[in-house]
């Protein structure tokens, strides 16, 4: 029986890579990466998220914050089709 594990599983990466520059996010206080929008992504994605946060004048994640999805205005129409 083989005990080979894929590198993505071993490193804990999950899902498709997220593009930090293409989404709106904000910060909230935290003590670890748990709950971060970019938790489980490659370190390059986290680096880009930190750069995007800096450009948006948000707190840096290494100062006790995580990045979370920004709440949209409820009056805004969703561009994603919802299943009924």
């Amino acid at each position: 029986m083989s005990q080979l594990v894929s590198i993505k599983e071993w490193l804990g990466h999950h899902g498709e890579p997220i593009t930090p520059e293409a989404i709106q996010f904000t910060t909230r206080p935290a003590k670890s990466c748990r709950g971060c929008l970019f938790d489980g992504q490659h370190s390059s994605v986290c680096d880009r998220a930190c750069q995007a946060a800096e450009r948006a004048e948000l707190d840096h994640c290494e100062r006790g914050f995580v990045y979370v999805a920004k709440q949209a205005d409820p009056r805004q129409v969703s561009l994603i089709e919802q299943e009924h």
Side-chain angles (χ1 to χ4, degrees):
M1 178 174 200
S2 175
Q3 293 189 2
L4 296 177
V5 178
S6 74
I7 190 73
K8 284 188 174 192
E9 185 179 331
W10 182 68
L11 291 174
H13 298 148
H14 56 272
E16 293 297 317
I18 299 174
T19 306
E21 301 84 4
I23 60 174
Q24 291 186 1
F25 59 91
T26 189
T27 59
R28 72 167 171 79
K31 294 183 181 183
S32 71
C33 293
R34 180 174 284 174
C36 182
L37 190 59
F38 306 104
D39 186 23
Q41 295 288 305
H42 289 279
S43 62
S44 62
V45 174
C46 289
D47 291 340
R48 290 184 11 237
C50 290
Q51 292 170 0
E54 188 175 88
R55 286 191 298 273
E57 299 180 357
L58 296 173
D59 291 306
H60 195 281
C61 68
E62 291 181 355
R63 294 189 188 114
F65 294 88
V66 292
Y67 302 128
V68 294
K70 192 172 187 177
Q71 291 287 26
D73 185 334
R75 297 172 293 175
Q76 184 175 350
V77 177
S78 175
L79 298 177
I80 301 171
E81 288 186 37
Q82 296 180 2
E83 294 181 26
H84 296 280

